[in-house]
């Protein structure tokens, strides 16, 4: 089998960052077995393409948004989506509101499944259609997954200028605010946004975890604010659905 050294070296750097987390260039060079000059050059190229980011304060390199995007892309073609659909449909019918399955795509959430309750004739028109991208920091779907990322990975992922672009002026606008929000939502057992994506609507979400405990997707329910709902009960229903999908994956 023919090998392209630069490609093999680049993949080795990414693999090391995925396994070890943020690392110094010197440590990466030593681990992969590269001259420091080569490691610095490859990291510079990867940084330009968004696959790694430099954390100046820590003097370390970490995986960037594009690496997360590639890592999540398999879910769009994975059997988990087919397995999840009946559970998302049952959740929508159970709570009487629209339910979704989403995955992280860089600093955004991409919605793969959207099911409306079959028990109501007035299902609202939402912007969270299949294939729609929304900012992860201001969606319950996104925050449910972000809450399960290691601290360094969260910092690396949310270090880009467009990480905190809002839609309605509400929601976290900095990493420190996001961390506080994630901590509070984890204490409740679900993520909850109110009017951060669309005026007059709110969403509740929980993460679908893979066998290693990493966030693979999220399950969410969106409801109108003029409806009387039990947010905690929806949160429990969403968490049950997310756990059921995790067990099937």
């Amino acid at each position: 089998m023919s090998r392209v050294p630069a490609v093999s070296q680049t993949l080795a750097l990414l693999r090391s960052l995925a396994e070890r987390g943020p690392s110094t260039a010197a440590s990466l060079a030593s681990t992969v077995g590269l001259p420091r000059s080569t490691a610095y050059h490859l990291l510079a190229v990867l940084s330009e393409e968004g696959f790694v980011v430099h954390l100046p304060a820590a003097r370390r390199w970490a995986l960037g948004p594009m690496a997360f995007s590639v890592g999540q892309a398999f879910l769009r073609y994975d059997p988990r989506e087919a397995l999840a659909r009946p559970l998302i449909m049952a959740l929508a019918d159970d709570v009487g509101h629209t339910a979704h399955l989403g995955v992280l795509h860089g600093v955004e959430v991409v919605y793969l499944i959207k099911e409306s309750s079959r028990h109501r004739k007035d299902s609202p028109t939402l912007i969270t259609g299949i294939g729609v991208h929304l900012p992860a920091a201001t969606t319950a779907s996104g925050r449910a997954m972000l809450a399960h990322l290691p601290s360094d990975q969260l910092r690396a992922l949310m270090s880009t200028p467009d990480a905190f672009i809002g839609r309605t002026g509400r929601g976290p606008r900095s990493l420190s605010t996001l961390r506080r929000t994630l901590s509070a939502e984890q204490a409740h057992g679900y993520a909850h946004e109110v009017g951060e994506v669309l005026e007059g609507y709110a969403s509740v979400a929980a993460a679908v975890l893979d066998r290693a405990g990493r966030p693979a997707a999220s399950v969410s329910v969106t409801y109108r604010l003029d409806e009387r709902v039990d947010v905690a009960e929806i949160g429990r229903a969403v968490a049950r659905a997310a756990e059921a999908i995790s067990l099937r994956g």
Side-chain angles (χ1 to χ4, degrees):
M1 180 179 64
S2 62
R3 296 174 65 87
V4 181
V7 174
S8 298
Q9 294 164 353
T10 300
L11 293 175
L13 286 174
L14 291 173
R15 189 178 300 113
S16 180
L17 286 172
E19 294 172 352
R20 295 156 52 92
S23 307
T24 64
S27 175
L28 287 169
S30 176
T31 300
V32 178
L34 293 175
R36 288 193 186 186
S37 59
T38 302
Y40 277 113
H41 175 72
L42 293 176
L43 288 169
V45 174
L46 288 169
S47 178
E48 290 177 1
E49 298 296 330
F51 283 90
V52 302
V53 294
H54 187 236
L55 307 174
R59 298 182 180 179
R60 281 169 166 74
W61 294 84
L63 292 176
M66 283 304 299
F68 287 96
S69 297
V70 172
Q72 291 289 332
F74 78 94
L75 278 173
R76 288 171 231 174
Y77 312 100
D78 189 84
R80 190 192 306 265
E81 183 179 342
L83 294 172
R85 188 172 297 279
L87 293 172
I88 298 298
M89 186 178 298
L91 173 63
D93 289 342
D94 180 35
V95 300
H97 304 284
T98 302
H100 310 83
L101 181 77
V103 296
L104 277 177
H105 181 77
V107 296
E108 297 178 316
V109 173
V110 181
Y111 292 92
L112 305 183
I113 298 175
K114 175 183 179 181
E115 294 291 345
S116 299
S117 172
R118 291 171 292 186
H119 300 322
R120 55 186 297 173
K121 299 178 181 179
D122 62 338
S123 295
T125 300
L126 302 173
I127 60 174
T128 48
I130 295 174
V132 168
H133 293 231
L134 291 174
T138 54
T139 59
S141 296
R143 294 206 294 257
M145 292 182 280
L146 293 176
H148 288 274
L149 292 178
S151 179
D152 287 338
Q153 289 188 8
L154 177 66
R155 178 174 55 179
L157 182 63
M158 305 304 290
S159 64
T160 59
D162 56 347
F164 294 98
I165 295 176
R167 294 182 54 86
T168 65
R170 301 185 181 93
R173 307 297 289 176
S174 67
L175 180 58
S176 59
T177 304
L178 175 62
R179 287 189 192 278
R180 289 195 295 270
T181 300
L182 296 180
S183 178
E185 291 178 339
Q186 277 193 299
H188 285 95
Y190 52 84
H192 185 208
E193 65 83 13
V194 178
E196 296 176 40
V197 177
L198 188 63
E199 295 283 357
Y201 290 85
S203 295
V204 178
V208 175
L209 304 179
D210 65 17
R211 292 172 183 173
R214 295 180 298 248
S218 64
V219 174
S220 63
V221 164
T222 299
Y223 62 92
R224 289 203 307 257
L225 289 175
D226 61 2
E227 297 179 293
R228 295 184 62 182
V229 303
D230 185 333
V231 175
E233 179 55 37
I234 293 179
R236 289 189 287 269
V238 165
R240 288 193 298 269
E243 183 178 10
I245 296 171
S246 296
L247 294 173
R248 289 191 178 193

